[in-house]
């Protein structure tokens, strides 16, 4: 077999180094030799090592320079392998030195016999000579059963651009002992190659590089090429160009053993025959160009790609003049951002020098795990008292697909400096009455005015009763279960009356039978036999039993026997009858006892302790809200409102109430949190559609939104009829349960029979119960309704780098419906025909 022949040749080549190249010693115990680390084939990188025994661990010996015509030799690593250890007089010492393995990565362009030079390995004052030797490199055949290629972009690329490259390996037979040679993986001076983390740890193969073995993940499928079907293995890479000009990439290759048929081993068993083959790609050239200098924006800092986004976030929105403010700037892309930098913040497109003091150089950014998000944290100072916002920051990048520069901006951040009014990043604006100017939208950044908002607290005790969710469901359960239990008890009592009559008959029959048995002790057998037979049959029928005919025959025979004369029944027969009576009496007592009625003990798991705690929390929240109303300093006022909102949030989490939800919305509005305010108002109206404060304040917030984002006033959420519009879901639950209880209790036969005059009441109760139940079942609870909690870009696809579907972000408080969810993204529909994708964390559903 050819494969076996090649193995033997390679093995002999190895032995030639070990045996044919005598070791020259510079000192006792130190010796060295060449050693082949793998088979030597044309076009496939292999490892050549110089192994030196008897040296110490320190210092590291220097790798001798090797130059052999026809071989490309790249120096590798020096690896120390310790020698043996000895213990002398209780002390552990190392003896015999150790072994240093000095490796080289070698590639041969053609087959032949190559002469390796004699070299010296030096460690400090020790020199170990290594004699030369011969290295045989074998050429290999190719086959249509295997192909290997590197796929590059079919266009020029630019310095700093990260672009995809793919290694493609096609196979028609099972491979063994593959050895890859991909020069692209070792071109660090001109190209930076990033290997993506394998998605499946089982689908990886090792590639030899200058830095050792590198594991590459692959995807497998089947393709047809030139009429032949192959299993395709695709290894994705991300490459970044570092230098301009044409970059020549030497051919990549793979050497592998493939099956060529069946043979038999020395024992005659069938085995697969293999041979070694090589697949080699062609030399490829990558055209790398510098980014153009013409029209280069001042905010360009080397970013090259087709999709970027930038966002900024401030550590707080209220600052003192000259106080440090931390600014967090995040750039996202669909490619790795290792080489992307932030443009100078004090330059054009950055922070105005008249209002901010910012460092000239941005700090080092922090990469996300996948490398597609980079975040910088910068400390800046506000130096002007009239500063009202942090302007949008410019970020320029070069789009290689369009061959033009693109500039994007972050969203402005509203800011309040001491002496101004408190604003939030997405707060709304209300104009003074009579100004004649239209109200600004929620997307503007200006002074917050709550003119027209009903900021009054709910009346004391509103929403403060003990009707928690647990108590509500306990009452509903009681209204359903208690009448059913009473009905069951009444029906059981009626069945018990009939049962008692049967028990009386059984007891009378047993007493009569006992009396006849007692009378048979003295009465003549003839008289006793007739009465006993009749009484025995009667008692058996009452118990639902059958009497043994043989026993009746024995009684009659004893009573009418010729020799009976005036004698009583035989004692043995009377004893047998007494035992039978005793058995029937015991059975009657076990089966005829009063059945215990299934008494329903409905224990309402009292929520009163929890209600008391909730009342205390509500009192604290109302106090915090009143403190906020009384505060005069803007920053303190906003903080107090935020504290009150958090307190109200804890109350509604334990015991939802429309009144408290409205209080929560007012507190959130005062704190500048429009998203939380709108969400609270919507939840208040879901519990009580007649809550005027929630309805008015929600309408006020909606009026500040852009017209295209305002929901229709006659939406399905609000346009309901009859009790839908006035009764909450909880009220309908209680009314339905109460009507059910009335209908069932009327049907209960309290005095042995139902009173027909009350039947109409039961019918009415049943109709009311059915109506409430149907309204609950068919009610559209608008489970897909949601609110934007923080300003977010509406995008055309579920990706942070997808194009925006709206020129400006959706402001907090925007109402929408959720259509579907994909991972961390949701598809949303807004008023009119506007739709798109938002991060799932930016919205919250109204329904809890």
């Amino acid at each position: 077999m050819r494969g076996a022949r090649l193995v033997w040749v390679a093995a002999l080549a190895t032995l030639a180094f070990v045996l044919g190249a005598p070791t020259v010693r510079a000192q006792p115990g130190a010796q060295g030799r060449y050693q082949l680390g793998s088979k030597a084939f044309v076009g496939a990188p292999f490892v050549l090592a110089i192994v030196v025994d008897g040296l110490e661990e320190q210092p590291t010996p220097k790798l001798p320079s090797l130059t052999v015509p026809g071989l490309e030799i790249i120096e590798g690593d020096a690896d120390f392998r310790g020698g043996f250890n000895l213990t002398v007089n209780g002390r552990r010492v190392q003896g015999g030195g150790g072994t240093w393995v000095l490796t080289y990565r070698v590639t041969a362009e053609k087959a032949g016999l190559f002469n390796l030079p004699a070299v010296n390995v030096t460690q400090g004052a020790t020199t170990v000579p290594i004699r030369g030797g011969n290295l045989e490199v074998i050429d290999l055949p190719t086959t249509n059963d295997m192909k290997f290629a590197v796929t590059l972009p079919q266009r020029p690329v630019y310095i700093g651009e990260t672009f995809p490259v793919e290694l493609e390996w096609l196979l028609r037979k099972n491979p063994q002992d593959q050895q890859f040679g991909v020069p692209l993986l070792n071109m660090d001076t001109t190209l930076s190659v990033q290997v993506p983390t394998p998605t499946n740890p089982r689908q990886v193969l090792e590639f030899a590089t200058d830095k050792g073995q590198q594991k590459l993940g692959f995807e497998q499928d089947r393709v047809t090429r030139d009429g032949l079907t192959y299993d395709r293995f695709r290894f994705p890479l991300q490459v970044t160009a570092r230098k301009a000009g044409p970059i020549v990439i030497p051919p990549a290759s793979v050497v592998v053993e493939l099956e060529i048929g069946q043979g038999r081993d020395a024992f005659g068993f069938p085995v697969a025959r293999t041979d070694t083959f090589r697949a080699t790609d062609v030399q490829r050239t990558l055209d790398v160009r510098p980014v153009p200098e013409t029209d280069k924006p001042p905010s360009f800092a080397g970013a090259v790609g087709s999709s970027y986004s930038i966002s900024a976030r401030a550590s707080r929105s209220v600052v003192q003049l000259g106080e440090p403010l931390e600014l967090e700037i995040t750039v996202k892309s669909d490619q790795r951002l290792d080489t992307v930098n932030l443009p100078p913040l004090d330059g054009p497109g950055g922070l105005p020098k008249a209002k901010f003091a910012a460092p000239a150089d941005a700090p080092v950014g922090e990469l996300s795990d996948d490398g597609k998000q980079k975040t910088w944290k910068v400390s800046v100072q506000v130096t002007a008292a009239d500063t009202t916002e942090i302007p949008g920051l410019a970020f320029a990048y070069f789009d290689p697909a369009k061959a033009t520069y693109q500039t994007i901006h972050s969203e402005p951040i509203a800011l309040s400096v001491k002496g101004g009014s408190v604003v939030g990043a997405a707060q709304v604006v209300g104009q003074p009455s009579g100004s004649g100017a239209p109200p600004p939208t929620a997307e503007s950044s200006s002074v917050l005015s709550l003119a027209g908002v009903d900021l009054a607290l709910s009346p004391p005790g509103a929403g403060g009763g003990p009707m928690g969710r647990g108590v509500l469901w306990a009452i509903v359960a009681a209204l359903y279960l208690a009448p059913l239990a009473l009905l069951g008890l009444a029906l059981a009592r009626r069945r018990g009356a009939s049962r008692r009559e049967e028990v009386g008959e059984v007891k009378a029959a047993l007493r009569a039978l006992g009396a006849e048995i007692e009378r048979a002790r003295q009465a003549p057998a003839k008289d006793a036999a007739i009465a006993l037979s009749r009484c025995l049959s009667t008692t058996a029928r009452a118990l639902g039993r059958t009497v043994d005919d043989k026993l009746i025959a024995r009684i009659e025979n004893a009573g009418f026997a010729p020799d009976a004369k005036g004698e009583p029944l035989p004692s043995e027969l009377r004893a047998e009858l007494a035992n039978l009576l005793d058995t029937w009496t015991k059975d009657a007592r076990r089966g005829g006892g009063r059945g215990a009625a299934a008494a329903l003990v409905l224990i309402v798991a009292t929520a009163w302790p929890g209600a008391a705690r909730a009342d205390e929390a509500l009192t604290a929240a109302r106090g915090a809200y009143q403190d906020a109303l009384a505060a005069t300093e803007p920053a303190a006022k906003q903080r107090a409102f935020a504290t009150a909102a958090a307190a109200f949030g804890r109350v509604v989490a334990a015991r939802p109430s429309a009144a408290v939800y409205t209080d929560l919305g007012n507190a959130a509005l005062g704190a500048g949190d429009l998203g939380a305010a709108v969400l609270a108002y919507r939840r208040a109206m879901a519990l009580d559609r007649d809550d005027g404060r929630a309805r008015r304040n929600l309408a006020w917030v909606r009026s500040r939104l852009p017209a295209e984002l305002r929901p229709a006033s006659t939406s399905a959420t609000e346009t309901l009829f009859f009790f839908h519009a006035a009764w909450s879901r909880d009220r309908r639950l209680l009314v339905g349960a109460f009507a059910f209880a009335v209908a069932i209790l009327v049907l209960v036969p309290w005095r042995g029979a139902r009173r027909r005059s009350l039947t109409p009441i039961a019918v009415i109760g049943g109709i009311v119960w059915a109506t409430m139940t149907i309204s609950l079942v068919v009610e559209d609870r608008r489970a897909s309704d949601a609110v934007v909690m923080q300003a977010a870009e509406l995008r055309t696809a579920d990706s942070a780098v997808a194009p925006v579907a709206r020129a400006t972000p959706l402001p907090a408080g925007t109402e929408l419906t959720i259509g579907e969810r994909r991972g961390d993204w949701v598809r949303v529909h807004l008023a009119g025909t506007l739709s798109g994708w938002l991060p799932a964390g930016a919205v919250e559903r109204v329904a809890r």
Side-chain angles (χ1 to χ4, degrees), residues 623-633 636-637 640-641:
Y625 188 87
Q626 291 169 343
D627 293 341
L629 291 176
T632 57
E633 202 278 320
K637 193 179 191 72
F641 272 125

Side-chain angles (χ1 to χ4, degrees), residues 491-515:
L491 295 176
R493 188 180 297 111
R494 293 189 64 182
R495 289 194 298 269
S498 174
R499 176 63 179 167
R500 283 192 294 273
E501 293 179 1
E502 296 176 359
V503 171
E505 294 178 359
V506 169
K507 289 182 177 180
L510 289 172
R511 285 196 296 269
L513 178 61

Side-chain angles (χ1 to χ4, degrees), residues 48-397:
L48 178 66
I50 296 178
V51 181
V52 184
D53 299 322
L55 295 182
E56 299 300 325
E57 184 174 358
Q58 296 294 336
T60 301
K62 182 179 179 181
L63 275 73
S65 177
L66 295 182
T67 303
V68 179
L71 298 180
E72 179 187 359
I73 302 177
I74 300 175
E75 293 183 3
D77 299 325
D79 181 38
F80 179 76
R81 301 172 185 175
F84 60 90
N85 294 324
L86 297 175
T87 301
V88 180
N89 295 328
R91 297 181 59 189
R92 185 182 180 189
V93 298
Q94 180 174 308
T99 299
W100 276 99
V101 179
L102 316 179
T103 59
Y104 301 82
R105 183 175 175 273
V106 183
T107 305
E109 299 179 355
K110 61 181 180 179
L113 197 64
F114 298 88
N115 295 320
L116 299 179
V119 295
N120 292 326
V121 176
T122 302
Q123 185 190 54
T126 303
T127 299
V128 180
I130 309 297
R131 286 196 174 184
N134 295 326
L135 170 64
E136 183 178 11
V137 179
I138 304 168
D139 200 359
L140 292 174
T142 60
T143 175
N144 283 333
D145 292 332
M146 177 175 62
K147 298 180 184 297
F148 193 62
V150 178
T151 303
L152 300 176
Q154 300 300 310
R155 61 169 176 83
V157 298
Y158 293 84
I159 293 178
E161 177 187 359
T162 299
F163 51 90
V165 172
E166 189 174 82
L167 308 180
E168 184 184 66
W169 188 23
L170 305 180
L171 285 168
R172 298 185 65 225
K173 294 183 178 180
N174 293 331
Q176 297 180 20
D177 300 330
Q178 62 273 359
Q179 300 177 39
F180 295 97
V182 183
L184 174 66
L185 299 177
N186 304 298
M187 302 177 66
D188 295 340
T189 57
T190 56
L191 299 173
S192 173
V193 179
Q194 294 94 34
V195 178
T197 302
T199 56
N200 186 346
R202 296 184 178 181
Q203 291 187 337
V204 295
L205 291 177
E206 290 189 346
F207 285 67
T209 68
D210 294 344
K211 299 178 182 179
Q213 296 294 324
Q214 174 73 58
K215 290 184 178 181
L216 271 64
F218 63 83
E219 297 177 359
Q220 184 178 357
D221 57 7
R222 294 181 70 85
V223 296
T224 301
R225 299 283 174 83
D226 300 328
L228 299 178
T229 301
Y230 294 88
D231 285 321
R232 178 172 64 172
F233 298 82
R234 295 183 297 157
F235 303 85
L237 301 173
Q238 292 291 321
V239 180
T240 304
R242 291 181 170 177
K243 292 184 177 181
I247 298 179
V248 177
I249 301 177
S253 64
V254 59
V255 174
V256 67
E257 289 189 6
L258 299 176
E259 293 182 7
I260 59 173
Q262 292 288 329
R264 292 188 178 276
D265 60 12
F267 299 98
F269 293 103
V271 294
R273 294 190 300 116
T274 62
D275 205 346
T276 307
F277 297 92
R278 174 169 57 91
T280 305
D281 191 20
V282 298
Q283 177 177 289
R284 300 184 183 273
T285 302
L286 189 64
D287 183 9
V288 181
R289 300 178 181 179
V291 295
E293 295 295 326
T294 305
D295 299 327
K296 179 185 291 186
S299 60
F300 177 75
V304 181
S306 298
S307 181
Y308 287 91
S309 68
I310 182 173
S311 62
R313 185 176 65 179
S315 58
R316 56 190 181 277
S317 60
V318 180
V319 295
Q320 300 286 334
L321 188 64
E323 184 180 16
L325 175 68
E326 185 176 86
L327 194 61
E328 183 177 284
I329 305 169
T330 302
V331 173
K332 298 180 180 179
S333 179
D334 59 353
Q335 61 188 32
R336 291 190 63 87
L337 301 175
D338 302 76
T339 60
V340 171
N341 298 312
L342 197 66
L345 291 179
D346 61 348
L351 300 175
K353 293 184 178 181
K355 296 187 176 183
F356 294 90
D361 298 324
V364 177
E366 180 180 350
L367 275 174
S368 61
D369 292 338
D370 61 359
K372 296 181 179 181
Q373 176 177 309
K374 202 168 189 177
T375 302
W376 294 265
K377 295 183 178 180
V378 187
S379 180
V380 300
Q381 285 182 310
V382 181
T383 58
D386 61 344
T387 303
T388 59
E389 70 173 13
I390 298 174
L393 303 177
F395 180 83
Y397 63 93

Side-chain angles (χ1 to χ4, degrees), residues 483-785:
L484 290 176
L486 292 174
L487 178 62
L489 288 173
L491 295 176
R493 188 180 297 111
R494 293 189 64 182
R495 289 194 298 269
S498 174
R499 176 63 179 167
R500 283 192 294 273
E501 293 179 1
E502 296 176 359
V503 171
E505 294 178 359
V506 169
K507 289 182 177 180
L510 289 172
R511 285 196 296 269
L513 178 61
E516 290 299 328
I517 294 175
E518 184 63 26
R519 191 172 72 86
R521 293 177 177 273
Q522 298 177 354
K526 181 177 180 180
D527 297 338
I530 297 174
L532 270 176
S533 298
R534 186 182 304 110
C535 194
L536 194 61
S537 299
T538 301
T539 305
R541 284 195 301 271
L543 289 172
R545 297 175 177 272
T546 58
V547 182
D548 188 1
D549 292 339
K550 293 182 178 180
L551 178 61
I552 297 295
R554 288 172 56 201
I555 293 174
E556 293 177 350
N557 291 337
F560 295 98
D563 56 348
K565 298 181 181 178
E567 297 294 329
L569 289 174
S571 58
E572 296 85 359
L573 185 56
R574 285 186 281 108
E576 184 177 351
L577 290 173
N579 291 335
L580 180 61
L581 174 63
D582 184 60
T583 300
W584 283 359
T585 301
K586 291 180 179 179
D587 291 346
R589 288 174 180 172
R590 285 196 296 265
R594 177 177 299 178
L600 174 66
V601 180
L602 181 62
I603 302 176
V604 177
T606 59
W608 304 118
R613 289 191 296 270
D615 287 339
E616 295 174 1
L618 179 60
T619 301
R622 292 174 64 87
Y625 188 87
Q626 291 169 343
D627 293 341
L629 291 176
T632 57
E633 202 278 320
K637 193 179 191 72
Q638 187 181 38
R639 288 194 297 270
F641 272 125
T643 301
F648 281 126
R650 290 189 291 271
V651 174
V652 295
R655 190 177 61 200
S657 163
V660 180
Y661 262 126
T662 304
D663 293 338
L664 169 59
N666 291 347
L669 191 60
D673 191 346
L674 282 184
V678 172
L679 182 66
Y681 293 147
R682 287 292 304 272
R683 287 178 173 172
M685 294 178 61
L687 293 174
D688 184 0
R689 301 186 189 278
D690 284 338
D691 192 308
R693 291 187 305 141
R695 184 180 297 276
R696 289 191 298 272
N697 291 350
L698 179 59
W700 185 90
V701 176
R702 288 174 175 174
S703 68
R704 267 60 184 174
L705 290 172
E708 70 273 12
L709 297 181
R710 299 173 191 170
S713 59
T714 56
S715 64
T717 305
E718 301 173 9
T719 304
L720 298 171
F721 57 91
F722 187 38
F723 47 81
H724 286 277
W727 288 8
S728 68
R729 186 176 180 84
D730 291 352
R731 180 181 296 181
R732 280 176 281 151
L733 275 172
L734 285 171
V735 170
F738 182 78
F740 178 85
V742 169
I744 296 300
L745 291 176
V746 167
L747 296 176
V748 173
W750 296 101
R751 297 182 179 178
R754 300 187 184 94
R755 289 176 288 179
R756 297 184 180 275
S757 60
L758 297 179
T759 301
I761 298 178
V763 173
I764 294 174
I767 293 175
V768 173
W769 169 77
T771 303
M772 296 296 108
T773 302
I774 293 173
S775 73
L776 292 170
V777 172
V778 303
E779 176 188 23
D780 182 6
R781 300 190 66 189
R782 308 289 292 175
S784 60
D785 282 6

Side-chain angles (χ1 to χ4, degrees), residues 415-448:
L415 201 63
S416 175
V417 183
K418 185 178 180 181
S421 298
V422 180
V423 298
Q427 287 178 341
V428 301
V429 178
Q431 293 291 337
S433 60
S435 65
T441 67
E443 294 173 293
S444 61
S445 299
S446 182
V447 177
L448 174 65

